[in-house]
Amino acid sequence: MHDERRRIEERVQRVHDQRIKSAIYAATVPFEVEAWQAPGEPVSFEEAASARYEPFAMNTPWGPPWGTTWFRMRGRVPADWAGRRVEAVIDLGFVGDWPGNQAEALVHLPDGRPLKAVNPLNQYVPIAHPATGGEQIDYLVEAASNPDILKDNFSKVTPMGDKLTAGAEPLYTFQRADLAVLDEEVWHLDLDLQVLRELMVHLGEHEPRRHEIMHALDRAMDALDLDDIPGSAGAAREVLAPILAKPAYASAHTVSGVGHAHIDSAWLWPIRETKRKTSRTFSNVTSLADEYDDFIFACSQAQQYEWVRDNYPHVWARIQDSVKKGQWVPVGGMWVEADGNLPGGEAMARQLIHGKRFFIEHFGVETKGVWLPDSFGYTAAYPQLAKLAGNDWFLTQKISWNQTNKFPHHTFWWEGIDGTRIFTHFPPVDTYNARFSGEEMDRAVRNYSEKGGGSRSLAPFGWGDGGGGPTREIMERARRLADLEGSPKVVVEHPDEFFAKAREEYPDAPVWNGELYLELHRATYTSQARTKQGNRRSEHKLREAELWATTAALHAPGYAYPYEKLDRLWKTVLLHQFHDILPGSSIAWVHREAEAEYARVAEELEALTAEAVAALGAGGTRVFNTSPFDRAEVVRTAEGAPAYVEVPASGSAPLTDAEPAQPVRTEGRVLDNGLIRVEVAEDGTLASVRDLRAGGREVLADKGNLLRLHTDLPNYWDAWDIDKHYRNRYTDLLETSSVEVVSEDPLLGAIRVTRSFGKGSTITQTVTVRAGSARIDFETDIDWHEAEKILKAGFPVDIRASHSSAEIQFGHVQRPTHTNTSWEAARFEVSGHRWVHLAEPGYGVAVLNDSTYGHDVSRTVREDGGTTTRVSLSLVRAPRIPDPEADQGRHRFTYSLLPGASIEDTVAEGYALNLPLRVADATGADEPVVSVDGDGVTVEAVKLADDASGDVVVRLYECNGGRARGVLRTGFPLAGAQVTDLLERPLEDAEITEAGVAVALRPFQVLTLRLRRG
């Protein structure tokens, strides 16, 4: 037989694209259209309905950036369309090939009920099936003219990311607003051809099935009358029917399709626009559920549900109905799809608590899995927290973006730092926006790493980010691929069903231990430093407010615990931990609002804490310690004078004139407090740091606190990525404007170093040594005006460390300092929370911070045979896409060097740096709410139970990575104690002894105790 593949394939392609697609709508009648441009921000339906509209013609430009235009569309279904399937078809002037982040619209009925959205790949609105003829159609269409930030593929700087800089020129040209008859036979032929043609081209040329499909398509084209596509579509489909009816191989891979619409809670649009995106997509989904009984849609992010509940009650009611029918599946159990590395431990727990509780309260559904496809790596603390929240499975997708190493598993057990394992799946289709194309189905099977062990994978399908979610075309593809020779089998089902089947067939799946590190997007640990600082400050202020509010509720008659305020503030912080806000990868508008929101949160939390402390009664100046460790340190009084105080963990003490063992001596540029001796060089770096407790051991192998300015232009994704070549070009900032002693107080010695560099940037650092403390603080004030640069602070320490330890949620991870394999080499920039620790047997050094997350650790051997291990904190970046002004301006933060530190010392000082002592006019309480005996047993949260029962909830964890035993004592009469899950539901009774509640923890174990008051 002659090879006619090229002729046939090109024939099918042309006929499909040029004749069949244009015949899907058999007849059309234009709407009468009027328009009204809403001034400023979006308005309510009621305001839009009463506005004055003007006539609007097709092919007219409309929509300034971030604007809202309301269109009134009126029309009548022709009488001769009776019995036909009639729809409205609306093309707002869609651009590009990405269905999200551009023009979108929500169609309303005259009474204000949202009907369905209009999106680039979902342009129809159902009217009648069948029509009776003569129906009067009257729509009000709310159209958003969001700019396409991606139109230059992230290659150009754009001012479009903020309404303040975007201008007012119209972005779109309205193309179409028609009443139309859908020719169902032609529409189905279109889908038959697409599915078979795509299957054909992805089968091997040696496969008989490929040639069988090819010749059947050729015969179908022969059966098609090009002058009468509607009249001959049925004949062409009859030719293809036997080919579509051939069943899949018995051993075919099974793809579990789960409807999905990944909607970033903010990214290339502000939060206000996400509120509208959710309503549009959710309207589409509930409409599709009415049309397809076998449709299943999984939706995460409780915050988005709440927005719809509060702003679109009609859509909310439809969601509730779909949940009851089993077609709409709440998943994920998190408030938002948060970043997987940066939220603190308690914040990550609250993501799960608030998310799961919302779905239980509003739908009676307890979610069983963590649904987090699009985050930039995943902390090794996740398995334990997920299980403690009642989850059985974990789903992710982003690891497919790895730059260097291919992740070896798709279905596996993920083991966290404490030993907890959770069944995990990583879809081999490599997308969370699947559409069941031939390419995707081929990739899912080809990629799947578990062949021979498992036989099924999951594919989230639907257009995200405002693309409208799943479509009827995708559902029709799924139906055709349910049992089709040459293709994997597709079944649309609940993700819980998929995970149950996958686990049953592959219970001994391989184990991956530790973090799921994404070998890409490493700059998200640093970009938009003020956003990250706002998060860190908020997390700690929430901890502080809860502790002292609990103390006041127990000891101050008449004080009312602020349940509702704390709940609202927590949810605000959790929202901003979304995986494109906290990582710093959103447009300017998002980060401008985030910084303002964090300022409001800080102000309100400060007021709540002050109110709680004041409720404890006036009477002398007292110092309050929110940290879970006893502290003896220098604090500044209300008058600004330094004082040395000793305060118990989670408690308070009078401000007294305690004396440290030795004062600080300041001699020129040398600060000595009897514990450490610090010498600042003429160039402002640290010339020497000697640990006097270790016989005067020199800590540094070279200049310490060396500020290094690197060129930072990644290959792609500017705000997201830092590529390894950034290391090759840099400038050491050694020139100073001044180096001066600014404090010679016996309690506090300080030297200020000022530098100017680059494009008008300045850095002022105050190097501080305090009496009684080995910690050296670098209080930093930067006025930053660089572009495409990253600033790092390096500490080369004289330690041969085989690994670094970095704090994560409820523990720490160890990472090798060598680069033996490509896996270690790929970790050239990593994340950590409050500290990084380096050690050799018998001696350790830590670098702490109060607001940064990114760092790198490297190791070299010197000519003298000694080893230098360098840790460099990433302080601030200057990407220009998507926010041209990212990080520009003022930054204030502190980082520290802690010589001679064990892990527990480091944990304690990390808390101390991030939780400054509070000085207030108050009497305080005689005892802390709780106190703990036992090395490694660390209190993370103290609060009243969420059910307003008055029970006290305490979250503990083991911080050193070893076993720990201890006793938790209470500062109130104790009537009972229970171990609970994260949602404060009882698991078992805790052991109570005469001393208190007995606590036994495995390494890094998290334990929640519910304490009943006597």
Side-chain angles (χ1 to χ4, degrees):
M1 183 180 292
H2 299 300
D3 185 355
E4 293 197 278
R5 285 175 299 173
R6 180 175 177 181
R7 175 190 65 80
I8 296 172
E9 290 174 9
E10 290 178 351
R11 179 192 188 191
V12 173
Q13 183 75 57
R14 181 174 186 184
V15 172
H16 171 262
D17 292 352
Q18 297 183 10
R19 300 301 175 89
I20 295 173
K21 291 190 76 65
S22 61
I24 289 175
Y25 285 106
T28 62
V29 173
F31 277 103
E32 293 180 4
V33 181
E34 297 175 305
W36 173 68
Q37 176 67 46
E41 286 295 279
V43 301
S44 67
F45 174 85
E46 290 73 21
E47 183 176 344
S50 62
R52 181 176 179 179
Y53 286 74
E54 301 290 340
F56 184 88
M58 292 299 98
N59 298 309
T60 298
W62 70 279
W66 306 113
T68 301
T69 306
W70 285 79
F71 295 97
R72 173 164 281 140
M73 300 182 184
R74 292 190 175 102
R76 184 180 296 277
V77 176
D80 59 358
W81 288 6
R84 311 291 294 276
R85 183 170 182 170
V86 178
E87 300 177 344
V89 182
I90 301 170
D91 183 348
L92 301 172
F94 301 117
V95 297
D97 58 0
W98 186 41
N101 192 43
Q102 53 168 296
E104 304 171 55
L106 182 60
V107 178
H108 298 77
L109 293 174
D111 61 5
R113 283 179 294 157
L115 185 59
K116 185 181 173 295
V118 174
N119 314 90
L121 298 176
N122 200 342
Q123 298 180 15
Y124 76 98
V125 179
I127 291 177
H129 184 206
T132 58
E135 293 95 333
Q136 180 66 43
I137 309 302
D138 191 350
Y139 292 151
L140 267 179
V141 180
E142 181 191 27
S145 48
N146 300 331
D148 182 7
I149 305 292
L150 278 180
K151 72 174 184 177
D152 293 313
N153 207 25
F154 280 106
S155 64
K156 294 181 181 178
V157 175
T158 174
M160 289 290 179
D162 197 327
K163 63 178 180 179
L164 302 180
T165 58
E169 288 298 313
L171 296 176
Y172 299 99
T173 301
F174 211 121
Q175 298 293 318
R176 181 180 189 184
D178 292 336
L179 290 162
V181 173
L182 178 72
D183 189 314
E184 295 186 75
E185 196 72 19
V186 176
W187 181 63
H188 280 291
L189 173 61
D190 170 72
L191 288 158
D192 292 346
L193 287 173
Q194 288 186 54
V195 168
L196 287 173
R197 181 184 172 279
E198 290 174 8
L199 172 61
M200 173 186 71
V201 299
H202 286 95
L203 289 169
E205 294 181 1
H206 63 287
E207 294 279 355
R209 175 65 165 164
R210 173 170 180 152
H211 296 270
E212 179 185 44
I213 294 172
M214 178 182 69
H215 287 288
L217 289 172
D218 198 29
R219 293 194 302 275
M221 295 301 96
D222 290 339
L224 197 64
D225 183 348
L226 298 184
D227 295 323
D228 185 12
I229 298 294
S232 56
R237 293 196 71 206
E238 288 180 9
V239 174
L240 298 176
I243 305 300
L244 286 165
K246 285 199 170 185
Y249 303 127
S251 60
H253 184 81
T254 299
V255 173
S256 295
V258 179
H260 181 48
H262 177 79
I263 304 177
D264 288 316
S265 289
W267 178 31
L268 304 179
W269 49 87
I271 287 172
R272 71 93 147 139
E273 196 54 33
T274 313
K275 295 177 181 180
R276 301 202 294 178
K277 284 178 179 286
T278 54
S279 68
R280 297 175 198 130
T281 293
F282 294 175
S283 296
N284 286 352
V285 169
T286 52
S287 176
L288 192 65
D290 290 340
E291 193 171 351
Y292 288 86
D293 292 339
D294 53 339
F295 175 57
I296 300 289
F297 179 73
C299 186
S300 64
Q301 306 197 76
Q303 172 69 88
Q304 295 185 0
Y305 287 76
E306 186 175 82
W307 284 333
V308 173
R309 183 199 68 189
D310 293 346
N311 298 299
Y312 297 89
H314 293 292
V315 180
W316 173 250
R318 287 159 61 181
I319 292 172
Q320 290 181 308
D321 288 343
S322 291
V323 171
K324 289 176 184 176
K325 293 175 183 176
Q327 290 185 280
W328 185 298
V329 180
V331 293
M334 297 177 70
W335 191 248
V336 296
E337 289 186 13
D339 181 84
N341 288 308
L342 305 180
E346 188 60 25
M348 193 162 278
R350 302 297 176 100
Q351 288 282 359
L352 293 159
I353 292 165
H354 283 290
K356 291 203 68 161
R357 188 173 286 145
F358 183 92
F359 294 135
I360 292 170
E361 290 178 356
H362 293 284
F363 301 114
V365 172
E366 178 159 1
T367 57
K368 290 299 181 182
V370 177
W371 182 281
L372 198 55
D374 182 30
S375 193
F376 312 142
Y378 307 90
T379 171
Y382 247 129
Q384 180 179 196
L385 294 176
K387 294 288 280 188
L388 286 173
N391 293 295
D392 297 325
W393 54 261
F394 189 99
L395 178 133
T396 177
Q397 177 63 68
K398 202 73 170 193
I399 300 298
S400 65
W401 287 39
N402 268 7
Q403 196 174 44
T404 305
N405 299 285
K406 179 177 172 59
F407 192 77
H409 311 301
H410 285 103
T411 299
F412 58 100
W413 289 97
W414 182 18
E415 182 177 309
I417 54 173
D418 72 310
T420 298
R421 293 180 178 178
I422 190 165
F423 196 70
T424 302
H425 184 65
F426 160 34
V429 72
D430 281 358
T431 181
Y432 42 79
N433 295 314
R435 60 184 185 91
F436 298 130
S437 69
E439 178 187 8
E440 289 170 350
M441 296 300 91
D442 177 65
R443 183 167 63 244
V445 176
R446 183 165 25 89
N447 266 357
Y448 186 60
S449 300
E450 318 308 324
K451 297 181 184 74
S455 64
R456 62 185 66 243
S457 64
L458 186 145
F461 67 88
W463 305 110
D465 285 338
T471 65
R472 60 187 181 185
E473 287 78 13
I474 300 177
M475 282 299 297
E476 289 293 337
R477 284 173 171 269
R479 287 180 169 181
R480 286 162 174 77
L481 294 171
D483 193 14
L484 181 61
E485 182 184 348
S487 170
K489 300 174 184 176
V490 172
V491 55
V492 178
E493 64 180 349
H494 194 300
D496 285 352
E497 294 180 19
F498 161 77
F499 275 95
K501 294 172 185 175
R503 181 171 174 173
E504 181 180 6
E505 77 166 355
Y506 201 21
D508 58 345
V511 176
W512 180 269
N513 180 65
E515 65 185 332
L516 294 175
Y517 177 83
L518 178 63
E519 296 174 359
L520 199 72
H521 293 1
R522 303 167 180 92
T524 58
Y525 316 142
T526 306
S527 296
Q528 298 284 4
R530 284 183 293 269
T531 296
K532 290 175 171 57
Q533 185 177 69
N535 174 73
R536 180 78 68 85
R537 297 280 191 275
S538 297
E539 289 179 345
H540 288 80
K541 284 183 177 295
L542 279 161
R543 174 197 179 101
E544 187 177 29
E546 286 184 336
L547 173 62
W548 301 117
T550 302
T551 306
L554 294 174
H555 298 293
Y559 176 82
Y561 189 85
Y563 289 102
E564 293 182 2
K565 290 180 179 178
L566 287 169
D567 181 78
R568 173 174 48 79
L569 290 165
W570 261 116
K571 287 175 179 176
T572 298
V573 174
L574 298 180
L575 164 60
H576 288 85
Q577 291 177 340
F578 179 75
H579 65 250
D580 275 306
I581 303 178
L582 183 52
S585 47
S586 290
I587 56 173
W589 191 345
V590 172
H591 291 289
R592 172 169 57 80
E593 289 191 334
E595 291 174 31
E597 198 70 14
Y598 284 130
R600 286 191 289 270
V601 167
E603 182 179 6
E604 193 166 350
L605 286 172
E606 183 65 27
L608 287 178
T609 302
E611 179 183 353
V613 168
L616 294 170
T621 304
R622 200 168 181 92
V623 182
F624 293 80
N625 173 21
T626 308
S627 163
F629 292 87
D630 296 341
R631 289 162 74 171
E633 64 184 67
V634 175
V635 66
R636 289 194 179 274
T637 66
E639 294 75 27
Y644 187 77
V645 296
E646 296 177 355
V647 196
S650 305
S652 64
L655 180 64
T656 60
D657 295 326
E659 293 290 336
Q662 295 187 50
V664 179
R665 298 192 307 276
T666 304
E667 300 174 359
R669 296 190 306 276
V670 177
L671 306 173
D672 185 329
N673 68 358
L675 303 176
I676 55 171
R677 185 176 185 273
V678 178
E679 180 182 350
V680 177
E682 290 184 12
D683 61 14
T685 62
L686 298 187
S688 172
V689 174
R690 291 197 175 273
D691 189 341
L692 305 180
R693 301 161 302 172
R697 172 176 176 149
E698 177 58 61
V699 174
L700 299 176
D702 203 342
K703 294 177 182 294
N705 192 37
L706 177 62
L707 298 173
R708 183 166 281 177
L709 187 67
H710 295 261
T711 297
D712 180 22
L713 183 66
N715 294 342
Y716 196 54
W717 300 97
D718 292 30
W720 292 257
D721 288 351
I722 179 171
D723 286 333
K724 204 168 188 177
H725 51 251
Y726 88 90
R727 295 177 168 182
N728 301 334
R729 289 189 63 85
Y730 59 84
T731 301
D732 288 341
L733 304 184
L734 298 175
E735 294 185 10
T736 64
S737 303
S738 64
V739 179
E740 57 181 331
V741 176
V742 292
S743 176
E744 299 183 72
D745 191 283
L747 293 182
L748 187 152
I751 297 172
R752 182 176 298 149
V753 180
T754 304
R755 308 178 190 276
S756 299
F757 64 95
K759 298 180 179 179
S761 298
T762 61
I763 302 178
T764 300
Q765 290 195 304
T766 303
V767 184
T768 304
V769 172
R770 294 173 175 82
S773 174
R775 197 179 87 202
I776 309 159
D777 288 347
F778 303 87
E779 300 168 34
T780 305
D781 188 327
I782 303 179
D783 190 12
W784 179 251
H785 298 287
E786 305 308 299
E788 296 170 350
K789 298 288 189 295
I790 185 170
L791 181 68
K792 288 193 165 246
F795 292 91
V797 296
D798 190 5
I799 285 180
R800 183 168 177 79
S802 62
H803 62 265
S804 65
S805 298
E807 187 186 39
I808 62 169
Q809 300 83 354
F810 297 108
H812 59 265
V813 290
Q814 295 182 343
R815 301 180 177 110
T817 54
H818 63 73
T819 54
N820 283 355
T821 72
S822 58
W823 292 88
E824 285 94 27
R827 286 180 169 88
F828 59 83
E829 181 82 1
V830 291
S831 67
H833 283 207
R834 290 171 290 216
W835 52 264
V836 184
H837 185 263
L838 307 170
E840 61 188 23
Y843 195 79
V845 174
V847 177
L848 309 106
N849 73 84
D850 71 356
S851 61
T852 190
Y853 296 85
H855 65 277
D856 69 89
V857 179
S858 59
R859 194 178 71 183
T860 59
V861 176
R862 306 186 299 272
E863 290 185 3
D864 65 4
T867 298
T868 299
T869 306
R870 173 186 289 270
V871 56
S872 296
L873 295 182
S874 301
L875 303 181
V876 64
R877 293 186 73 228
R880 304 185 67 207
I881 299 171
D883 176 4
E885 300 297 319
D887 280 320
Q888 298 299 299
R890 206 70 176 270
H891 301 269
R892 295 182 180 90
F893 51 83
T894 299
Y895 56 91
S896 308
L897 182 68
L898 184 65
S902 66
I903 287 289
E904 193 160 16
D905 295 334
T906 304
V907 173
E909 289 295 338
Y911 277 108
L913 180 62
N914 283 269
L915 290 166
L917 295 173
R918 172 181 290 268
V919 179
D921 179 14
T923 58
D926 293 334
E927 296 180 69
V929 174
V930 294
S931 56
V932 177
D933 291 334
D935 292 343
V937 182
T938 307
V939 175
E940 179 62 16
V942 178
K943 58 189 286 293
L944 290 191
D946 291 339
D947 61 4
S949 63
D951 291 351
V952 176
V953 172
V954 181
R955 194 137 28 242
L956 309 155
Y957 74 103
E958 194 289 316
C959 71
N960 292 328
R963 294 185 182 274
R965 288 187 175 274
V967 175
L968 181 141
R969 300 186 306 274
T970 63
F972 56 89
L974 180 65
Q978 291 180 315
V979 177
T980 73
D981 66 4
L982 290 185
L983 277 70
E984 303 171 7
R985 300 175 296 193
L987 299 175
E988 61 184 11
D989 289 336
E991 179 185 354
I992 301 178
T993 67
E994 289 184 4
V997 181
V999 176
L1001 301 175
R1002 65 178 181 270
F1004 299 130
Q1005 181 182 355
V1006 176
L1007 181 70
T1008 304
L1009 294 174
R1010 183 172 182 136
L1011 310 176
R1012 192 170 72 254
R1013 295 150 59 184

